[in-house]
Amino acid sequence: MTENSTWHLTHSQPHKFLDYFNPTNGFIRQINILLNRFKSVQTLCAEGETQEEFTHLRNELAFHLVKMSRWWGFDFCPQGLTGIRNPLFLTYVKAHLARNVNDESFFDTFTLQKHMHSGDAGHILVLGQDPFSTPDLTLYYGVDGKKNFRFATLTHTQETQWHRYSYPDFASAWLAAWSTHASAGDVRKNLSEYLAAEREHACARIWHQRYFHRNETQMGIRLYADATQQLSICKSPFGKAEFEAIVNSLAFDVVKHAFTGNITIADLLADNKTLDNSLRTANTLKHRARAHVATTVDPTLKAELDALLDSTLSYIPRRCSGT
C-alpha cells in the first residue's frame, strides 16, 4: 500500500518508534525509521497535504532528527540528509519548538543556551528518569552547560547527586551509570559486562558518527571488513548488538552497489583484495543484507528492498571454454 496522511498520523508519531531512554533498542533501526517517515511526510506536504495536524507531525519529525543527532552523536546536515535546504528545515524545527517547551529547552541547551549557564558543567537540564530504575536505585539523566550527558542518583534523602563525569552521547552515560552501580544491587548484568559494553560502544560511536556518509564502493567493502573484525572481538551483548547492526547495514550497502552496477556480488568483490570473491563470501554479504532489511529498516520499505536483494545474484559459476 501507499501510506497516506491518515496512515502517518496513526503510525508515524515519534513516540511510536523512538525510545530515547533505552539504548538497547539501538541507533540504526530508530534513525532509519525516523528519517524515512520524515521524508514521506514531507513529500505529502509538498504534494499539497495542508491539514494542520499533518504539518505539526512533519515539524515534530524534523525536530527529532535534530534531537537524535545529539542523543546518539551522529553528523547531521539537513540538506545532505533530507534534501531540504537548512534554513527551511530549521523553520520546521522552530515551529515545533514554539509548541513544546520541553523540546525547546533541549534544543536551546545544544544551541544558544538562553536558559543555561553557558559552558557551566554544573548547570544541568534534567532529561528524565531511567526506566530501569528500582526502589533501591533511581537514576536520572541530564545535559550540562558544556553540552555533555550526565547521570545522577537519587539519594535516600531525596537529593539528586550528579556524577562528576560527563559523556558525549546518551548511551555512553547510560552504560556508565549502570557500570558504576552494577555492584550495588544490579541483578540484570554484571560489572565486567557493562565495562566491556562501555569500551565497545566507544568504538561504535565512531561508526554512528559517519553512518550517513557516502562511501565509494571499494571503501564500503573495506569498512565492512573492518566492522566485521570489530564485531568478532565484542564481549558484551550490547556491543555485539550494536556491531551486528553496523555490519549488516554495511553489507546492504555493498549488495546495493552490486545491484546498481548490475553485476554479481562476487564480481563486485573481484577487484578488491580485502575480501575474497567466493560464493561463500558473497552469500554471507547477502545474508547480512537481508538481516538489515528485516530488522533495521523502516517496515514500509521492506518489500521494495527485499525485491532489490532478490534481484541481486551472489555468484555465477565460471565455465571453461571448449577448444
Side-chain angles (χ1 to χ4, degrees):
M1 79 178 257
T2 299
E3 292 75 23
N4 57 22
S5 58
T6 301
W7 187 94
H8 280 290
L9 286 171
T10 302
H11 296 90
S12 295
Q13 302 292 337
H15 72 271
K16 296 286 184 70
F17 53 86
L18 296 180
D19 190 351
Y20 283 103
F21 288 95
N22 183 5
T24 62
N25 284 331
F27 162 70
I28 292 179
R29 181 178 186 276
Q30 293 186 87
I31 194 60
N32 282 349
I33 295 176
L34 175 60
L35 178 59
N36 187 61
R37 297 299 169 87
F38 171 77
K39 287 181 174 179
S40 298
V41 169
Q42 167 61 14
T43 296
L44 289 172
C45 286
E47 291 175 350
E49 178 57 69
T50 59
Q51 62 173 306
E52 186 178 37
E53 189 178 8
F54 198 66
T55 302
H56 290 333
L57 175 61
R58 178 201 61 193
N59 297 342
E60 185 178 7
L61 291 167
F63 164 75
H64 281 281
L65 280 169
V66 176
K67 182 175 180 178
M68 282 284 282
S69 74
R70 298 306 89 211
W71 204 267
W72 284 93
F74 67 88
D75 292 341
F76 178 63
C77 170
Q79 185 162 358
L81 198 56
T82 69
I84 297 171
R85 292 181 296 107
N86 293 7
L88 178 59
F89 185 89
L90 190 58
T91 65
Y92 299 161
V93 174
K94 289 183 175 180
H96 171 74
L97 299 179
R99 303 178 65 250
N100 190 300
V101 65
N102 290 330
D103 289 345
E104 193 277 333
S105 295
F106 181 88
F107 184 83
D108 174 74
T109 302
F110 284 96
T111 52
L112 298 177
Q113 296 194 333
K114 294 179 296 184
H115 311 313
M116 297 290 291
H117 300 161
S118 181
D120 183 357
H123 195 204
I124 300 171
L125 171 70
V126 178
L127 298 171
Q129 181 179 325
D130 192 307
F132 300 109
S133 291
T134 66
D136 297 324
L137 177 61
T138 302
L139 294 170
Y140 286 91
Y141 299 97
V143 178
D144 64 26
K146 290 189 174 181
K147 306 178 184 180
N148 291 316
F149 287 86
R150 305 281 292 276
F151 71 87
T153 307
L154 185 66
T155 67
H156 294 296
T157 61
Q158 301 303 303
E159 292 182 3
T160 304
Q161 184 176 350
W162 291 96
H163 196 260
R164 64 185 181 277
Y165 295 117
S166 60
Y167 304 89
D169 67 340
F170 178 81
S172 297
W174 183 83
L175 289 167
W178 284 103
S179 64
T180 299
H181 296 92
S183 60
D186 175 39
V187 297
R188 295 180 304 113
K189 298 184 179 182
N190 59 40
L191 177 59
S192 62
E193 181 179 309
Y194 275 117
L195 293 175
E198 283 191 80
R199 294 191 299 268
E200 290 154 9
H201 176 67
C203 295
R205 284 193 70 250
I206 299 171
W207 297 87
H208 296 338
Q209 285 172 337
R210 62 191 183 195
Y211 181 69
F212 290 108
H213 292 193
R214 294 183 177 180
N215 298 294
E216 296 295 331
T217 302
Q218 299 305 311
M219 178 58 73
I221 296 171
R222 164 58 69 182
L223 291 173
Y224 168 81
D226 291 347
T228 301
Q229 177 61 31
Q230 288 192 280
L231 170 61
S232 70
I233 60 176
C234 285
K235 303 296 184 185
S236 72
F238 187 90
K240 289 177 182 177
E242 279 202 298
F243 271 99
E244 279 281 354
I246 291 166
V247 169
N248 292 347
S249 69
L250 291 167
F252 178 81
D253 290 343
V254 173
V255 175
K256 187 176 181 181
H257 279 303
F259 173 83
T260 303
N262 196 30
I263 59 176
T264 69
I265 301 170
D267 285 338
L268 183 71
L269 302 176
D271 294 331
N272 187 286
K273 306 304 180 184
T274 305
L275 300 171
D276 67 70
N277 62 330
S278 66
L279 173 61
R280 180 177 179 180
T281 300
N283 279 342
T284 297
L285 276 159
K286 195 168 184 179
H287 174 77
R288 286 199 169 279
R290 286 199 184 279
H292 172 72
V293 172
T295 60
T296 53
V297 303
D298 190 338
T300 64
L301 297 175
K302 188 175 183 299
E304 173 189 341
L305 297 182
D306 276 336
L308 181 154
L309 295 176
D310 291 341
S311 301
T312 309
L313 297 178
S314 295
Y315 183 87
I316 298 177
R318 301 294 185 262
R319 295 182 179 180
C320 296
S321 58
T323 58

